[in-house]
């Protein structure tokens, strides 16, 4: 009986060591976390949609609702003057980009004080086809969420499989990797 218990413990220990040796012991490897390059000083980030178009207001509101399911950062509507994130649109960008972002903050600490996210009305309402995975999706459903994620601190990475921030994949919501990236970016923020 005693030898049987010792054998079970030894086999269990060998299995655990083997799992860690081959990467099976971790539920999310370092590459499964979307990289980040900053954060706001609070987990509640205020925003204002600066658009007179009811259609584009609806697009941004839908993106805010889908983004808010991230478990770390909460977006809260406020006035234009008090907003940390300004969500707006432009007719189009010269380089045919779908969106752009700019922010102010402290580069040494990575703390952002404000960000402006602009969505191209012309190029973001197209449907997008990703041949690699044979998938078609609406740009209006993906790009605003991607822009918000970038504005609050996530980075793009084509090496990161399973991420909204990977332009080679077709996601319209934050993925597990993105949520882990936000949790890491805001780990020391209340």
């Amino acid at each position: 009986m005693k030898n049987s218990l010792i054998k079970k413990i030894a086999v269990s220990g060998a299995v655990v060591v083997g799992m860690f040796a081959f990467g099976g012991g971790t539920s999310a490897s370092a590459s499964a976390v979307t990289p980040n390059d900053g954060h706001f000083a609070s987990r509640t980030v205020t925003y204002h949609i600066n658009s007179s178009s009811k259609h584009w207001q609806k697009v941004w509101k839908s993106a805010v609702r889908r983004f808010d399911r991230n478990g770390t950062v909460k977006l809260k509507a406020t006035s234009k003057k008090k907003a940390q994130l300004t969500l707006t649109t432009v007719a189009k960008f010269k380089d045919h980009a779908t969106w752009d972002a700019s922010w102010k903050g402290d580069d040494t600490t990575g703390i952002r004080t404000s960000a402006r996210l602009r969505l191209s009305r012309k190029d973001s309402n197209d449907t997008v086809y990703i041949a690699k995975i044979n998938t078609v999706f609406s740009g209006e459903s993906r790009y605003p969420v991607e822009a918000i994620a970038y504005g609050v601190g996530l980075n793009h990475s084509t090496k990161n499989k399973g991420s909204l921030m990977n332009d080679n994949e077709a996601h319209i919501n934050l993925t597990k990797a993105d949520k882990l990236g936000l949790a890491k970016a805001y780990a020391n923020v209340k």
Side-chain angles (χ1 to χ4, degrees):
M1 174 101 174
K2 189 175 180 184
N3 286 342
S4 176
L5 181 60
I6 292 172
K7 283 182 185 177
K8 286 180 183 178
I9 292 171
V11 170
S12 297
V15 169
V16 170
V17 169
M19 285 176 61
F20 283 114
F22 294 102
T26 57
S27 60
S29 66
S31 65
V33 177
T34 302
N36 68 78
D37 69 352
H39 58 81
F40 282 92
S42 169
R43 287 176 178 243
T44 300
V45 178
T46 58
Y47 74 92
H48 176 75
I49 299 171
N50 190 22
S51 176
S52 58
S53 163
K54 291 198 185 295
H55 171 76
W56 291 102
Q57 286 178 7
K58 184 178 176 182
V59 167
W60 278 117
K61 284 178 185 177
S62 174
V64 166
R65 278 192 306 275
R66 289 196 334 269
F67 179 85
D68 263 349
R69 299 181 197 144
N70 68 70
T72 299
V73 176
K74 179 72 178 152
L75 298 179
K76 182 179 177 185
T78 191
S79 67
K80 183 177 180 179
K81 202 171 197 174
K82 294 180 181 179
Q84 294 167 298
L85 287 177
T86 302
L87 314 176
T88 190
T89 63
V90 296
K92 67 179 182 176
F93 296 111
K94 290 180 183 178
D95 62 358
H96 297 286
T98 51
W99 61 269
D100 78 354
S102 60
W103 61 84
K104 294 179 185 174
D106 187 337
D107 289 336
T108 56
T109 63
I111 297 176
R112 296 180 178 180
T113 55
S114 66
R116 180 184 69 175
L117 311 174
R118 300 184 309 163
L119 193 61
S120 164
R121 293 189 298 269
K122 180 184 183 322
D123 294 309
S124 67
N125 66 2
D126 293 336
T127 55
V128 178
Y129 173 69
I130 298 191
K132 186 175 180 181
I133 56 176
N134 196 24
T135 302
V136 176
F137 63 91
S138 162
E140 286 181 8
S141 59
R142 175 195 172 113
Y143 298 125
V145 178
E146 182 182 3
I148 292 169
Y150 190 78
V152 299
L154 290 183
N155 258 341
H156 284 97
S157 173
T158 55
K159 295 176 184 175
N160 194 6
K161 303 287 186 222
S163 171
L164 171 71
M165 305 307 283
N166 182 339
D167 289 332
N168 295 327
E169 296 189 18
H171 301 283
I172 61 171
N173 293 308
L174 292 173
T175 66
K176 182 178 179 180
D178 302 324
K179 291 174 184 179
L180 289 170
L182 282 172
K184 185 175 180 181
Y186 286 82
N188 297 318
V189 178
K190 293 184 179 188

